[in-house]
Amino acid sequence: GAGVSQSPSNKVTEKGKDVELRCDPISGHTALYWYRQSLGQGLEFLIYFQGNSAPDKSGLPSDRFSAERTGGSVSTLTIQRTQQEDSAVYLCASSLVRLNTEAFFGQGTRLTVV
Amino acid sequence: GENVEQHPSTLSVQEGDSAVIKCTYSDSASNYFPWYKQELGKRPQLIIDIRSNVGEKKDQRIAVTLNKTAKHFSLHITETQPEDSAVYFCAAYEFQGGSEKLVFGKGTKLTVNP
């Protein structure tokens, strides 16, 4: 596609359930990032992929969060046993090689845990 | 790691006036500083960026200045228009230990009053 695509755009889930968020980066972009944006807040770094490898998982808030990337393309962010504090917009971004070139963001997945 | 502070958190100006948003960073090794604009409900989009070998960059009504010694950079918008109303985020590129990320400020909500 022409841009970074995320699905679903909205997700409402019950506390304790698992959710999977998907990101399709721009074709050919080797770097992929997940950020979290809580209401009225800045962008909180979660994880970085270079190809299929994740050199930096330091931003994942707890062991309930995990992410993978396959084929150097699609990435999924999984949140297990969701909690209300997980409610936020989860943004994915990709860049051609490194982040010191333009990073393109997806439209985000708005997660609401009830 | 890198820490980015952004001020002010909200800014209200009259149409036609100038707006200035300031950011400071902590890691002197950071060398790339992008600015993103996020309209309500939309994805963040890059509006301008600057690298550490340049002190100033302009693009029509938007300019960014960088003071490496003081570790601060600023966004200047001249002749503001209502469509400039949005949340603006500054960021600093951090490359450390094989990982990289953009560290964002908490954002400035700019309102341009007609």
Side-chain angles (χ1 to χ4, degrees):
Chain A
V4 179
S5 178
Q6 292 186 245
S7 61
S9 53
N10 280 284
K11 177 72 176 178
V12 180
T13 190
E14 291 181 354
K15 179 181 171 181
K17 294 286 177 78
D18 299 350
V19 295
E20 270 192 8
L21 313 180
R22 177 186 169 105
C23 172
D24 275 285
I26 293 173
S27 178
H29 280 196
T30 62
L32 185 148
Y33 310 81
W34 285 96
Y35 283 84
R36 179 169 71 174
Q37 186 173 32
S38 302
L39 188 62
Q41 298 297 307
L43 287 84
E44 175 191 4
F45 170 79
L46 297 179
I47 189 169
Y48 153 62
F49 286 93
Q50 183 61 247
N52 292 335
S53 301
D56 190 348
K57 305 179 183 178
S58 64
L60 295 177
S62 73
D63 58 9
R64 296 186 295 105
F65 287 72
S66 62
E68 65 175 14
R69 188 178 185 194
T70 55
S73 182
V74 172
S75 176
T76 55
L77 177 69
T78 301
I79 309 174
Q80 296 179 307
R81 306 181 302 280
T82 52
Q83 304 294 313
Q84 288 185 329
E85 60 263 28
D86 299 334
S87 297
V89 175
Y90 289 81
L91 289 162
C92 173
S94 72
S95 61
L96 188 57
V97 178
R98 296 199 178 281
L99 259 186
N100 59 353
T101 57
E102 183 172 358
F104 295 83
F105 281 86
Q107 81 281 12
T109 294
R110 181 175 297 278
L111 175 66
T112 305
V113 182
V114 298
Chain B
E2 178 66 276
N3 182 51
V4 177
E5 300 283 340
Q6 184 172 349
H7 300 281
S9 56
T10 60
L11 180 59
S12 183
V13 300
Q14 289 300 122
E15 183 176 1
D17 287 351
S18 294
V20 180
I21 303 170
K22 299 183 179 182
C23 290
T24 60
Y25 61 99
S26 60
D27 187 354
S28 57
S30 291
N31 60 11
Y32 175 66
F33 307 92
W35 286 87
Y36 282 82
K37 175 183 180 182
Q38 188 177 31
E39 297 176 24
L40 190 63
K42 302 275 185 71
R43 70 190 74 194
Q45 292 194 295
L46 180 73
I47 56 170
I48 195 167
D49 55 16
I50 191 167
R51 299 185 186 278
S52 58
N53 59 346
V54 175
E56 184 176 5
K57 184 176 178 180
K58 289 183 180 180
D59 183 2
Q60 299 182 337
R61 297 185 297 108
I62 295 173
V64 57
T65 59
L66 171 65
N67 184 325
K68 285 168 51 181
T69 303
K71 289 189 281 189
H72 67 69
F73 55 113
S74 300
L75 178 71
H76 304 252
I77 306 174
T78 58
E79 301 171 25
T80 53
Q81 302 167 2
E83 51 265 37
D84 294 330
S85 296
V87 178
Y88 291 80
F89 293 96
C90 64
Y93 172 71
E94 178 185 70
F95 184 76
Q96 194 174 55
S99 179
E100 57 173 297
K101 63 172 75 85
L102 284 176
V103 179
F104 285 86
K106 293 195 181 302
T108 296
K109 183 177 181 181
L110 173 64
T111 303
V112 180
N113 301 301

